[in-house]
Amino acid sequence: MSEQKLEIFNVLNFLNSGYALEDILNEGNFGTFPSADDCISYLVENGYLTGEGGALTAEEISKKYTVADLKAMLKENGLKVSGKKQELVERIMSVLGQGDGDYELTDKAKEFLKENEWIDLYMFALVAFRFEDYEKYHASSDAGNVQTALNFCNEIISRSLMNNMFLVFIDALSAKAHVYAYDGDYESFLDYDLQRFILGLNPIVMDAQTYANYDIVNTANILNLKNVTEHFNFGNLKKRFDRIWAKSHITNITVPKKTCYKVLQKAMAGADIDELNFDLKEKYFNKKFGI
């Protein structure tokens, strides 16, 4: 039921945000339903959506739209606009007749979205972790949505450090950064994504299996850092880097601080990430981790 709840929320949330139903059906993942159409049928039958689904008939189009409306839609779609209304209707059916009809969210759907708005934050920041786990955690928390998400990340960070689960630790740092971004705190977002970069180059622990598929410099991480520094003026990046390095309390250095910052500069300037990772593995990682 948890996964289905997530799917239902996503469909309703996208519809409520103005996305076209057709786009949602084409892009969505409906794993707990046999098909996208079954998902829509479920939402209608259970009172989340109201309206007419399926292709509109000529009679429905004629009743719904004026001649002026039809001509405007025909023009917008590059179709001929002359003729009587019935001709216009028949012509526009090539566009409207293939649509999914009009659905509107019911009060039940709007209440569902309001009660489960925490799922939006989960989708934005916490998808690296199982939805069922976060759903249970959220249900047991008395804190607000953002603080609950931060607490969740902190607990994962603590557990991953205790159990030497480095990749989980890195994912939790990135998730925490995105929770701050969701809340509009982009300076904290920058700090935690910068820490994720620094510790990515200086793993706390690394076994052979983890190392085999490990990207030292992470492309998404670099894009995040580049975007936030381009859109906001948070002062000198080198000074911030030095502060975050000191805060990270790195006792087992793999890539020296000076080199680490140079790699950051190169990556943010557009250097090839694969080449940077290859060079780092050759110079620092292979020997240290016994590969």
Side-chain angles (χ1 to χ4, degrees), residues 250-267:
I250 303 171
T251 57
N252 187 15
I253 294 175
T254 301
V255 180
K257 177 182 174 182
K258 186 176 181 180
T259 302
C260 194
Y261 185 70
K262 286 183 178 179
V263 171
L264 175 64
Q265 288 181 303
K266 289 179 180 179

Side-chain angles (χ1 to χ4, degrees), residues 49-68:
L49 294 179
T50 184
E52 295 295 329
L56 295 174
T57 66
E59 183 179 357
E60 289 170 336
I61 293 173
S62 183
K63 288 181 179 179
K64 185 171 183 178
Y65 299 104
T66 66
V67 170

